[in-house]
Amino acid sequence: MMTGAFFENWFLPGIWITLQVTFFSAALAFVVSFVVGVLRAAPSRIVRILAGAYFEIFRSTSSLVFMFWIAFTVPMLFHIQFYGMAAGVLALGLTYGAYGSEIVRGALAAVPAAQREAGIALNFTRIQRLRRIEIPQAWPEMLPPFNNLLIELLKGTSLISLITVADMTFSGNLLRLVKGESAPIYTLLLVLYFVLAFLLTRGMRLLERRAKAKIGQAPEKTGLFGGLRSRSSIDAVTGTAGTGGAK
Amino acid sequence: MSAESPHTANTPVTDANPAVDGSELIRFDKVTKRFAGNTVLDNLCFSVDSGKHVTLIGPSGSGKTTILRLLMTLVKPDEGTIKVGGDYLTHEERGGKLVPAGEKHIREVRKNIGMVFQQFNLFPNMKVLQNIMEAPVQVLGLSKDEAEARARELLDMVGLADRCDEYPSRLSGGQQQRVAIARALAMRPQVLLLDEVTSALDPELVAGVLDVLRDVARTTDITMLCVTHEMNFARDISDQVLMFDGGKVVESGSPEKIFGDPDHDRTREFLSAVL
Ligand SMILES: Nc1ncnc2c1ncn2[C@@H]1O[C@H](COP(=O)(O)OP(=O)(O)OP(=O)(O)O)[C@@H](O)[C@H]1O
Ligand SMILES: [Mg+2]
């Protein structure tokens, strides 16, 4: 069905592009999540309003339309031409960053007020409280929803095929046109996205266990495989084992 | 505690600070605090002298916790002013006028105040030693070594030298509270606020915490403001007892006077109810 040459020339690079776009979009989204999420609880009203506006605007925008806008409208309006992948990364990162800011804001708000008060009583600055007390305690709570978002993002990267970046989906479509058979190709794509998502989830679970151990909620040492073994495969797939490592 | 008690540092060599040895350290001046229209503190005036151990008593809801939280700047007064060591706590003078203080001013005055909470409030993300070292390093700018030495000395004092490598969640309530006391002392405050610090503890753990506080009261010159239901403890360590009700000071005096022969019926009723 698929010739080896085609696979090597199109499909493998496609997977690689998908991974790259996921990685860079996730990195951007991560930074945006924290900056916007923290600022949404800033002492200054105007800052809170601006950060809230960012969240509302980007959450309500279609990331596909936004991607088209960056890829095709921005060059016309501002004479800035984005390399196709950069446009996709920008659109995905800014949009998913808005969703992520809600995760950060919510997790920070869930840190008990008593912890903030203990920080004030020790005369920490606001920034020190965030860095040393509030974010470290909120971090394990952020990881499961971040995992969901990361998988949404991975699947969302297929949108960049529509601005002609040759990712996995783009290569699949191309192959379909060339070969004229769609069933095996789309099945392969589904499986590939699933495998990638599964690997990401494993990685995030590991992070989560580490994070919980760091705040004294679980035994400190968990190896890569120790963790895998201790959890049922159903939990791993459905993602319902959020508190499995907690005391 | 060793001869090099960390708390001797509270007495400045040069007397830039008026608030040492018997002079006034804390002053509430016509402080009013309301919560949703409910006036909890009503034009409250009182002062505490430096080095004194003062116990606040009064019925539930009389505003004892609110007083300590005002001093810790966890809540802001609606009216009136609070002074600590001669400086306004939540206000500052600018152009001859009193305006709400900025964060910088508040932190400058607040550095003299420490607090121990009913629920301990240790940082669960840090081990015991780190809980104590964190603020001295981050806030006071101590080197890690200095802070660690200070933390270990204090842990020794509260009898937990061997638990420095545990997470707080693995300690009993009494042990956590003793760590919390050490953590507050590591900042070398002039004033220590204690809000029912044994109320959340199992009865058999109370004595250990009170012993540590007796030790602090005896060996340091830290001013203590203490809300407690442990009347024996209050009698032992207090220089002065303040009875609150209806948002005001009902009466104030030595523990012998207040517990033995109070002037006011309100005090008498309250004490007969709790003793
Ligand atoms: N954050 C708040 N919001 C609304 N009401 C509050 C708040 N904090 C305190 N109050 C109210 O203020 C009053 C005084 O509370 P406070 O906790 O200071 O009393 P207390 O003397 O410490 O009582 P207790 O002995 O029960 O601890 C109570 O009626 C309480 O309900
Ligand atoms: Mg109280």
Side-chain angles (χ1 to χ4, degrees):
Chain A
M1 129 214 161
M2 207 189 292
T3 65
F6 191 93
F7 193 82
E8 265 170 43
N9 294 337
W10 285 100
F11 228 91
L12 283 182
I15 296 173
W16 178 231
I17 294 280
T18 292
L19 285 175
Q20 276 179 295
V21 172
T22 305
F23 177 80
F24 289 119
S25 312
L28 177 60
F30 185 75
V31 173
V32 171
S33 297
F34 267 87
V35 171
V36 176
V38 164
L39 292 183
R40 283 177 65 195
S44 149
R45 211 175 100 96
I46 184 86
V47 173
R48 279 202 309 274
I49 290 175
L50 287 175
Y54 179 92
F55 168 66
E56 286 299 341
I57 290 170
F58 279 88
R59 154 176 96 151
S60 317
T61 315
S62 150
S63 45
L64 178 59
V65 176
F66 185 51
M67 200 180 289
F68 284 154
W69 191 78
I70 292 181
F72 306 127
T73 311
V74 167
M76 272 164 47
L77 288 180
F78 306 105
H79 305 285
I80 308 169
Q81 181 71 55
F82 283 103
Y83 166 57
M85 195 161 105
V89 164
L90 208 57
L92 290 169
L94 294 179
T95 314
Y96 282 81
Y99 298 132
S101 79
E102 184 65 5
I103 295 172
V104 172
R105 187 200 61 75
L108 286 175
V111 174
Q115 288 292 312
R116 188 178 56 87
E117 293 179 350
I120 293 175
L122 291 165
N123 217 12
F124 287 106
T125 64
R126 213 187 100 79
I127 306 277
Q128 287 170 336
R129 291 202 309 268
L130 266 174
R131 277 192 46 229
R132 313 292 303 190
I133 303 168
E134 293 167 33
I135 290 178
Q137 288 180 34
W139 176 239
E141 300 308 310
M142 294 180 199
L143 285 175
F146 267 151
N147 182 17
N148 283 337
L149 196 58
L150 183 58
I151 287 166
E152 287 299 320
L153 175 61
L154 166 71
K155 295 183 292 181
T157 58
S158 63
L159 293 178
I160 60 168
S161 64
L162 298 174
I163 56 169
T164 66
V165 178
D167 75 330
M168 230 157 71
T169 303
F170 188 89
S171 314
N173 276 327
L174 202 64
L175 186 57
R176 189 179 61 103
L177 289 180
V178 174
K179 298 271 165 184
E181 47 181 351
S182 51
I185 291 161
Y186 285 138
T187 308
L188 176 67
L189 273 180
L190 279 181
V191 170
L192 276 174
Y193 278 108
F194 175 80
V195 168
L196 291 182
F198 182 80
L199 291 176
L200 286 177
T201 298
R202 296 287 5 138
M204 291 295 280
R205 287 253 183 269
L206 195 66
L207 275 184
E208 194 186 329
R209 244 186 327 270
R210 289 246 170 99
K212 286 209 161 127
K214 268 203 173 149
I215 66 166
Q217 285 190 7
E220 254 185 283
K221 275 190 61 167
T222 46
L224 177 63
F225 299 106
L228 272 172
R229 254 184 271 120
S230 70
R231 203 183 285 273
S232 81
S233 55
I234 292 186
D235 283 350
V237 174
T238 57
T240 51
T243 55
K247 240 181 55 162
Chain B
M1 198 175 278
S2 70
E4 268 197 11
S5 157
H7 307 294
T8 49
N10 288 323
T11 313
V13 184
T14 55
D15 198 359
N17 191 337
V20 256
D21 292 333
S23 61
E24 182 177 288
L25 182 60
I26 295 167
R27 166 159 292 280
F28 274 58
D29 195 16
K30 296 189 186 136
V31 171
T32 296
K33 180 67 198 174
R34 301 181 197 89
F35 287 112
N38 165 24
T39 304
V40 175
L41 302 179
D42 182 11
N43 258 308
L44 178 69
C45 299
F46 75 95
S47 65
V48 172
D49 287 345
S50 176
K52 294 286 187 251
H53 307 144
V54 178
T55 299
L56 316 182
I57 61 171
S60 181
S62 59
K64 306 176 299 289
T65 294
T66 303
I67 290 169
L68 298 192
R69 290 172 59 82
L70 279 164
L71 270 168
M72 200 63 259
T73 69
L74 300 176
V75 290
K76 301 257 152 73
D78 293 315
E79 285 158 39
T81 57
I82 301 167
K83 275 187 166 182
V84 175
D87 294 315
Y88 287 109
L89 181 60
T90 53
H91 295 77
E92 58 189 322
E93 283 162 306
R94 225 183 271 146
K97 281 218 288 209
L98 264 195
V99 296
E103 180 71 9
K104 190 163 173 273
H105 175 91
I106 291 178
R107 288 191 68 230
E108 188 57 32
V109 184
R110 188 166 61 198
K111 72 168 195 266
N112 301 312
I113 308 170
M115 184 161 183
V116 180
F117 299 87
Q118 188 173 345
Q119 300 290 346
F120 338 128
N121 300 359
L122 294 179
F123 304 128
N125 54 317
M126 300 174 199
K127 292 180 177 175
V128 164
L129 192 67
Q130 194 62 32
N131 256 280
I132 303 175
M133 286 171 59
E134 188 68 16
V137 170
Q138 302 281 333
V139 178
L140 303 181
L142 258 59
S143 74
K144 285 237 161 67
D145 290 346
E146 283 173 288
E148 184 174 335
R150 192 184 278 196
R152 287 190 188 278
E153 185 181 352
L154 286 163
L155 275 175
D156 207 31
M157 186 194 95
V158 302
L160 291 171
D162 54 334
R163 309 309 293 273
C164 61
D165 217 21
E166 299 273 16
Y167 279 106
S169 57
R170 306 189 37 134
L171 302 184
S172 75
Q175 291 172 329
Q176 290 189 49
Q177 193 60 296
R178 284 184 277 155
V179 173
I181 293 168
R183 183 177 71 171
L185 292 176
M187 298 298 280
R188 299 195 176 165
Q190 281 186 295
V191 187
L192 189 60
L193 310 174
L194 303 156
D195 189 10
E196 302 196 31
V197 297
T198 56
S199 299
L201 300 179
D202 292 337
E204 72 271 20
L205 300 177
V206 169
V209 171
L210 293 183
D211 283 347
V212 165
L213 290 175
R214 281 198 179 89
D215 226 31
V216 174
R218 198 164 38 79
T219 59
T220 72
D221 54 9
I222 297 178
T223 308
M224 289 164 66
L225 258 71
C226 177
V227 176
T228 183
H229 294 141
E230 302 289 333
M231 291 305 167
N232 286 328
F233 171 75
R235 220 187 296 250
D236 287 354
I237 66 141
S238 304
D239 301 300
Q240 188 188 359
V241 178
L242 289 172
M243 164 76 194
F244 289 90
D245 195 19
K248 289 193 177 345
V249 179
V250 175
E251 74 175 294
S252 134
S254 67
E256 295 76 26
K257 166 86 183 149
I258 300 288
F259 293 127
D261 180 27
D263 288 335
H264 288 259
D265 289 343
R266 193 68 202 85
T267 313
R268 217 179 293 273
E269 284 163 26
F270 169 72
L271 287 172
S272 69
V274 298
L275 286 180

